[in-house]
Amino acid sequence: MACVRRQSELSRSQELFQHARSQKVIQTNVKLLGLEGDPDLQFLLQGGDLLKVRSRSWKKTRFLQLQEDCKTMYRKSDKLFKSHQTFPIDDISSVRIGRQSEGLKKNTEEQLESRCFSIVFKSRRKNLDLVASSHEEAKQWVRGLEKLLSNVNNLSRQETREHWIFNCLKKADKDKDEKLNLSEVKRFLRLINIEMDDSYAEVLFQNCDKSKSGYLSGQEIKELYDLLSQRVEIDVIYQEYAKTTGFMSAHNLVEFLMKEQRERASLADAHSIIDKYEPDEQVKQKKLLSKDGFLMYMQCPEIMILNQEHKELYQDMQQPLSHYFISSSHNTYLLEDQLKGPSSTEAYIRALMKSCRCVELDCWDGSDDEPVIYHGYTLTSKILFKDAIQAIKEYAFKTSNYPVILSLENHCSVEQQAVMARHLSSMLGSALVTAPLGDGMPTNFPSPEELKGKFLIKGKRLNKLEANFTSEAAGDDTDVTEEEESSDETDEEQKKKSKLKLAKELSDMVIYCKSVHFNGFEDAQKNLSFYEMSSFKEGKAMKLAKESANAYIHHNVEKLSRVYPAGSRTDSSNYNPVPLWNAGCQIVALNFQTSCSEMDINQGRFLVNGKSGYILKPAFMRDPSSEFDPNTPTPGDWRQPKTLHVMVISAQQLPKVNQKKSSIVDPLVKVEIYGVPDDMAVKETTAIENNGFNPSWNESFQFGVSVPELALVRFVIEDYDSASSNEFVAQYTLPFTSLKMGYRNMPLLNRNGDLLPSAGLFVHIMVLNA
């Protein structure tokens, strides 16, 4: 009995130790997040039961809890092999209170409104729709998660890195004794994406094991962390400019800023940096910058590769609408492929939250006199037209205040078109443009600034807009040609195409974006008004952009052009938008639901100007007499030859491609230039074996860029594989004209275009006149 009692006491002692250790880990993470003593965070750490909703018949209780790392949610399932599901806080895009999601609206009763909330993910995974036991509890879940999200997103790069390292150390400590033996150190190295030769790992371990105890603890673990996180490349830069008794003076810092970073800088600027980033008060009082202070400064937003002024709205938004590239989506309602994938209002929300300013609605007759949206003649699911409009109304202007174009592909009967018009009018109200702005018949588009907060309808119209200002009525003829995009028909099939009856109520809502057939540039110049626009299948648009680029540019000065993917892209793949932008096409519609390099380029194009979804075209593409041709760039205002020097120095904390513990990336970096054909180029570094934590390349490249205003630079990191094609790791794309010179950090994005919180690439950029 005594033995049993002793074992019980020992077990209880271990439990108490584990609890104390767990509390210590939590306290460390809570302190880092700045949420000490916060009741909402304590509520999340305690966790609780919630009802998970998938359908009207599938509603099951799930236990949800924030883990001690304060960055992972644990979800307990009653499934035999799925009892420990987790998801990172970083994966959460937003938390929505109430029955806002499609699933909750469809599968729960209205009286549960105040108890419902949804966790929306950045990736293409489904929402987590949940019901709490009370209104107050639902509010506390949402409040706690939003607070946690905000604080995690506001961590500095240094804090994010420390948080991640700390939790990797915790995971490596398998026996939870707050010590690391050699085996656990090797486990830690693999967790942070380093594969080390055993002998080297042993040398590293022995160098840190000052006590010669066979394990690392306390200060020894900190020394291990310091050795691994040391930024040798930044130390070298610091030593070059630290000319004042081993420190960097304000004068030294000004020299660095002007010589390396090519920035105008004064002593006042240097003093401000020292005050903000120097951690040692005694050093700060002497107006000096230590190595630690310089390291902190080199990880601040001012050192990012993207010109911080371009992050905000910086372009003239008073030009006519046709003078802008407009972020545009094709078949916006689809979450996956074009044949059998689901349609969802969530797809509209995701596109709009990414600053998409032109969304497509593929409209067909539905039951109960309610029009539906889906990809006609396929097995894609259907959503109600009115639900899509409601979602668009709610999310259209959350990311950008600038106008949203609703591109209607209309296959409905006259009766259901009238229903569409009623929904548009009643739901969008005064935000819907139903008459030209100002007095009298306009001769040009209004500007994005004048159209702020407004919706424009793109579709067929029964008559000319000029008829609104004369006694001419639409007449009895309600026939128009069916929508161009309904299929990829041949010319013969185009002639046989049936006529579509058009409801006057819907027709009258088409003001600035009347869909017409394209019969050539000469015909368009002679016979089409500025508001009459054509949609081009990618193949035809690419042909025009290659063979008649200058004529296309002239056409797009005064008129809008929309380009859409070929019908053969049933997998929702995308085409390269760059040649179409080079030809001045404004509405280059892509499948936003597909992760690919083309969407990376699109995201890079619209990264700047406050993520407004509108980018002002260069002046030479807004001039009706422009002689610019991207395929044969002759001398002109557009030709401003530059030489781009890029030194790829190092990367930090790259994600694993394969989540297996033993899998370590062999990263290489590709630098790609997109723009006019003469400027297109790709160069790549060598691969670094078994190091995704802090790989170092120090490789330099040089590129010639002749038309910088149309160029984009894409940095892509791949996991080298000698036996097959390389795997994508991360990327970042930005306009050439938004590059900052000097030593620069860049954030990295995953395949879906979402930020990888801890990862980064360090480069040196120099742009010179050629």
Side-chain angles (χ1 to χ4, degrees):
M1 285 296 291
C3 182
V4 171
R5 190 163 54 247
R6 189 172 175 185
Q7 283 182 334
S8 175
E9 287 170 356
L10 186 61
S11 176
R12 175 63 181 154
S13 173
Q14 287 174 334
E15 282 178 19
L16 288 170
F17 172 76
Q18 293 295 346
H19 176 73
R21 182 181 181 278
S22 179
Q23 288 303 112
K24 186 178 177 183
V25 169
I26 290 170
Q27 285 167 11
T28 303
N29 285 305
V30 168
K31 186 176 180 181
L32 185 61
L33 290 168
L35 290 170
E36 293 165 285
D38 186 89
D40 294 323
L41 188 70
Q42 293 306 316
F43 174 81
L44 295 181
L45 287 163
Q46 182 181 331
D49 286 335
L50 291 160
L51 191 68
K52 181 182 174 184
V53 178
R54 275 193 184 165
S55 67
R56 284 207 166 267
S57 59
W58 198 104
K59 296 172 184 174
K60 298 188 178 180
T61 301
R62 292 288 182 262
F63 180 76
L64 204 65
Q65 181 185 35
L66 180 65
Q67 297 294 273
E68 61 183 31
D69 65 359
C70 291
K71 60 183 294 186
T72 308
M73 292 299 293
Y74 167 87
R75 190 177 69 200
K76 190 174 182 181
S77 168
D78 55 7
K79 284 189 179 178
L80 184 60
F81 298 109
K82 285 196 175 181
S83 57
H84 293 86
Q85 291 180 304
T86 62
F87 60 86
I89 293 294
D90 289 333
D91 279 2
I92 299 176
S93 170
S94 63
V95 187
R96 299 183 197 147
I97 188 77
R99 295 165 66 248
Q100 291 195 50
S101 75
E102 210 167 58
L104 286 172
K105 283 178 183 173
K106 192 186 298 182
N107 302 316
T108 60
E109 306 303 323
E110 202 169 326
Q111 57 264 35
L112 293 177
E113 177 75 34
S114 66
R115 290 166 49 192
C116 294
F117 68 97
S118 298
I119 296 175
V120 182
F121 295 99
K122 292 175 183 174
S123 59
R124 280 149 178 68
R125 66 186 289 182
K126 293 178 181 176
N127 296 347
L128 189 54
D129 290 331
L130 302 163
V131 182
S133 59
S134 69
H135 169 56
E136 282 305 315
E137 191 178 301
K139 277 171 58 179
Q140 193 158 20
W141 274 107
V142 172
R143 196 167 57 238
L145 286 168
E146 286 181 337
K147 202 176 287 184
L148 184 62
L149 267 177
S150 174
N151 284 51
V152 166
N153 291 336
N154 286 327
L155 288 176
S156 68
R157 287 174 65 82
Q158 181 71 14
E159 288 168 334
T160 302
R161 185 167 289 122
E162 286 174 4
H163 195 191
W164 181 73
I165 290 281
F166 174 78
N167 287 296
C168 285
L169 281 166
K170 182 182 71 68
K171 285 180 190 174
D173 184 11
K174 288 195 81 172
D175 54 11
K176 312 298 181 192
D177 62 356
E178 297 193 316
K179 300 172 184 176
L180 296 179
N181 58 32
L182 178 58
S183 174
E184 288 171 330
V185 166
K186 289 179 183 177
R187 174 180 163 84
F188 168 66
L189 293 171
R190 284 193 293 273
L191 282 170
I192 63 171
N193 217 348
I194 296 178
E195 185 65 58
M196 234 180 235
D197 179 84
D198 279 356
S199 59
Y200 185 51
E202 285 173 27
V203 169
L204 180 69
F205 181 83
Q206 286 163 8
N207 286 343
C208 295
D209 183 15
K210 306 294 185 188
S211 63
K212 306 301 176 189
S213 59
Y215 57 78
L216 309 184
S217 64
Q219 186 62 32
E220 294 170 332
I221 292 177
K222 184 182 184 303
E223 190 167 335
L224 172 67
Y225 166 75
D226 289 342
L227 276 172
L228 291 170
S229 58
Q230 186 179 10
R231 295 286 300 276
V232 176
E233 67 277 32
I234 290 181
D235 289 353
V236 169
I237 301 166
Y238 180 78
Q239 294 304 330
E240 188 176 340
Y241 287 90
K243 298 170 182 175
T244 309
T245 61
F247 289 94
M248 192 181 271
S249 69
H251 286 281
N252 299 154
L253 185 53
V254 168
E255 185 186 0
F256 167 75
L257 292 171
M258 295 181 74
K259 183 178 175 182
E260 297 292 352
Q261 306 301 83
R262 298 299 173 102
E263 292 179 357
R264 293 178 184 172
S266 65
L267 278 175
D269 295 325
H271 289 148
S272 175
I273 289 169
I274 291 169
D275 286 343
K276 191 172 181 180
Y277 296 104
E278 177 51 53
D280 188 317
E281 285 300 324
Q282 289 184 333
V283 175
K284 186 188 290 187
Q285 284 173 12
K286 295 176 183 176
K287 300 194 182 306
L288 298 174
L289 192 64
S290 67
K291 189 163 67 174
D292 287 343
F294 185 69
L295 177 61
M296 289 179 72
Y297 171 62
M298 291 299 286
Q299 297 180 94
C300 75
E302 290 93 326
I303 301 297
M304 286 297 178
I305 192 170
L306 175 67
N307 185 333
Q308 295 300 291
E309 291 177 5
H310 290 192
K311 279 186 73 175
E312 309 304 321
L313 196 72
Y314 76 100
Q315 294 182 334
D316 176 9
M317 301 303 282
Q318 305 277 7
Q319 300 280 326
L321 203 65
S322 57
H323 288 187
Y324 297 83
F325 297 125
I326 303 171
S327 180
S328 306
S329 161
H330 170 252
N331 286 0
T332 316
Y333 48 90
L334 291 177
L335 286 170
E336 295 173 12
D337 65 67
Q338 312 274 316
L339 294 178
K340 58 185 188 313
S343 303
S344 172
T345 56
E346 190 61 42
Y348 285 101
I349 294 170
R350 290 179 185 179
L352 291 167
M353 293 301 284
K354 289 195 171 186
S355 303
C356 177
R357 298 291 88 187
C358 179
V359 296
E360 186 177 11
L361 299 96
D362 202 342
C363 309
W364 300 79
D365 280 356
S367 56
D368 301 321
D369 294 323
E370 283 293 349
V372 294
I373 293 174
Y374 82 113
H375 199 205
Y377 309 114
T378 69
L379 298 175
T380 57
S381 63
K382 300 173 183 179
I383 56 173
L384 291 176
F385 176 81
K386 64 179 182 182
D387 287 349
I389 298 302
Q390 185 61 38
I392 290 167
K393 178 192 175 183
E394 289 177 20
Y395 288 89
F397 305 113
K398 286 191 181 292
T399 304
S400 166
N401 291 324
Y402 287 95
V404 171
I405 300 169
L406 306 182
S407 180
L408 302 183
E409 190 177 327
N410 179 11
H411 306 279
C412 291
S413 62
V414 172
E415 294 76 19
Q416 294 212 10
Q417 288 176 45
V419 175
M420 288 167 60
R422 283 201 301 275
H423 288 325
L424 288 166
S425 180
S426 64
M427 289 181 175
L428 303 182
S430 61
L432 180 64
V433 174
T434 55
L437 273 58
D439 300 322
M441 177 62 202
T443 57
N444 205 346
F445 287 103
S447 69
E449 192 66 32
E450 292 173 291
L451 291 166
K452 256 186 175 178
K454 298 290 186 183
F455 293 97
L456 303 177
I457 302 296
K458 174 198 164 290
K460 294 290 184 179
R461 185 181 166 94
L462 291 169
N463 57 5
K464 288 266 193 181
L465 184 61
E466 287 83 350
N468 286 16
F469 300 91
T470 66
S471 57
E472 179 195 338
D476 297 328
D477 185 9
T478 59
D479 288 354
V480 292
T481 309
E482 200 173 314
E483 293 296 316
E484 292 95 339
E485 201 184 321
S486 55
S487 62
D488 282 335
E489 63 280 309
T490 62
D491 288 340
E492 189 176 333
E493 287 169 326
Q494 179 79 36
K495 289 173 188 173
K496 293 179 184 176
K497 200 180 221 181
S498 62
K499 292 282 186 177
L500 175 78
K501 296 279 186 183
L502 188 59
K504 184 177 185 301
E505 305 95 308
L506 195 59
S507 166
D508 288 349
M509 289 177 170
V510 176
I511 306 299
Y512 290 114
C513 302
K514 178 187 175 183
S515 299
V516 297
H517 188 67
F518 180 73
N519 294 309
F521 294 124
E522 190 176 340
D523 174 79
Q525 188 178 9
K526 284 181 182 176
N527 301 316
L528 297 185
S529 299
F530 75 90
Y531 60 85
E532 293 179 301
M533 62 175 290
S534 300
S535 288
F536 301 85
K537 198 193 317 176
E538 67 171 273
K540 179 160 189 179
M542 289 288 189
K543 190 170 187 290
L544 290 170
K546 187 175 182 181
E547 297 175 2
S548 311
N550 184 250
Y552 216 169
I553 287 166
H554 288 173
H555 176 84
N556 289 323
V557 171
E558 295 177 349
K559 297 176 181 68
L560 292 172
S561 290
R562 177 176 176 271
V563 182
Y564 61 92
S568 56
R569 293 185 182 273
T570 54
D571 58 351
S572 292
S573 59
N574 279 309
Y575 56 92
N576 180 6
V578 173
L580 289 318
W581 290 328
N582 290 347
C585 295
Q586 303 89 346
I587 303 176
V588 181
L590 298 179
N591 289 306
F592 267 52
Q593 70 271 33
T594 304
S595 302
C596 56
S597 60
E598 293 82 7
M599 270 306 298
D600 294 343
I601 295 164
N602 191 77
Q603 189 172 3
R605 167 68 75 202
F606 294 99
L607 174 69
V608 296
N609 205 32
K611 291 190 177 177
S612 61
Y614 285 83
I615 299 295
L616 184 64
K617 293 196 279 189
F620 56 81
M621 301 187 86
R622 310 192 309 261
D623 177 0
S625 59
S626 175
E627 296 179 6
F628 174 64
D629 185 326
N631 302 310
T632 54
T634 52
D637 292 344
W638 49 85
R639 195 169 178 83
Q640 301 168 28
K642 307 286 182 187
T643 302
L644 170 64
H645 297 269
V646 178
M647 184 180 191
V648 178
I649 302 171
S650 62
Q652 297 78 44
Q653 290 174 238
L654 300 176
K656 290 188 174 191
V657 173
N658 185 326
Q659 289 307 310
K660 288 180 181 176
K661 290 174 186 173
S662 59
S663 173
I664 308 295
V665 297
D666 300 332
L668 60 82
V669 180
K670 288 184 178 178
V671 184
E672 304 172 343
I673 308 294
Y674 293 87
V676 299
D678 280 0
D679 293 346
M680 301 284 281
V682 182
K683 294 182 180 179
E684 67 180 64
T685 68
T686 54
I688 304 297
E689 284 190 26
N690 293 326
N691 188 351
F693 179 69
N694 56 0
S696 180
W697 292 275
N698 294 310
E699 293 187 40
S700 296
F701 304 117
Q702 183 175 311
F703 301 89
V705 178
S706 60
V707 187
E709 288 184 89
L710 287 175
L712 294 154
V713 186
R714 181 173 183 250
F715 297 85
V716 58
I717 301 177
E718 294 179 349
D719 182 13
Y720 174 71
D721 191 325
S722 58
S724 61
S725 57
N726 298 343
E727 287 192 79
F728 175 92
V729 175
Q731 70 87 31
Y732 189 70
T733 307
L734 74 166
F736 180 89
T737 52
S738 296
L739 286 169
K740 288 281 280 183
M741 288 197 274
Y743 290 102
R744 299 292 166 183
N745 288 315
M746 76 178 75
L748 292 173
L749 308 179
N750 65 16
R751 193 179 292 279
N752 295 322
D754 298 316
L755 183 70
L756 291 162
S758 305
L761 187 64
F762 189 54
V763 297
H764 186 273
I765 300 290
M766 192 58 63
V767 178
L768 302 172
N769 291 325

